[in-house]
Amino acid sequence: MTPNVHHIVCTACGAVNRVPAGKALGQGHCGSCKAFLAGEAPVDVDEKILDRLLARDEGSFLLDVWAPWCGPCRMMAPSYAEAASHFAGNLRFLKLNSEAHPNAAARLQVRGIPALFLFQAGRVIDQRSGVQTTPMLTQWIESVKILTPSA
C-alpha cells in the first residue's frame, strides 16, 4: 500500500483506482467508467471482479455469498441493504451469487449460505454464516478493526 494512497478496484469495470487517504469512497468515481466506487446499496459482483478485488484491492469490503433459491439469503437481503446504507461510502457491500459463480464460492470454502466475508486488502479478516439482522451486522462490522480509505 502506497502511503497516502489506496488502490481500489471498481466493481463495475475492474479498473484499479488510486484514492487519496482521507477521501471516502462514496465521493469517488472510477477513472475509467465513471461509476461510484462505493454507494448506499450492495453491488452484485461476478467471479472475474472478485478475483480482481482479491488480487489488487487495498480497501475493505463485505461479501455476501448467497443464492436465489435460498430462503435465509432472501430473508437477510433487506438487513444487508440497510447495513450497506448505514456504512455508505466507507465500506463496500458486495454480493456473489453462488449458483451463478460456484467456482468462486468453492475457492472461498463456502459450506453454507448465506456466508459473509469481511475483507481487508484482499484477505479475509473475519467471517460469519447464517442470517444476520441489521443490528447484528452493524455491531459485527464496528467491532472488527478495519481500515477504510477515509481512515
Side-chain angles (χ1 to χ4, degrees), residues 31-116:
S32 293
C33 73
K34 308 302 180 213
F36 282 105
L37 293 176
E40 293 188 13
V43 175
D44 289 309
V45 295
D46 61 19
E47 189 169 355
K48 180 180 172 185
I49 294 292
L50 180 61
D51 289 345
R52 185 93 164 142
L53 284 159
L54 297 180
R56 302 286 310 271
D57 196 273
E58 295 174 343
S60 303
F61 61 90
L62 181 60
L63 178 69
D64 173 19
V65 181
W66 68 286
W69 50 262
C70 172
C73 297
R74 290 193 319 267
M75 187 170 67
M76 188 179 77
S79 294
Y80 193 71
E82 191 174 335
S85 178
H86 176 79
F87 289 98
N90 293 311
L91 179 65
R92 294 167 290 167
F93 281 67
L94 310 178
K95 294 178 72 72
L96 177 76
N97 181 335
S98 63
E99 186 173 51
H101 306 286
N103 292 333
R107 282 196 312 272
L108 291 170
Q109 299 179 354
V110 173
R111 296 197 183 356
I113 52 175
L116 299 167

Side-chain angles (χ1 to χ4, degrees), residues 2 5-8 16-20 37:
T2 306
V5 174
H6 298 273
H7 294 97
I8 303 298
V16 178
N17 295 269
R18 293 168 45 101
V19 177
L37 293 176

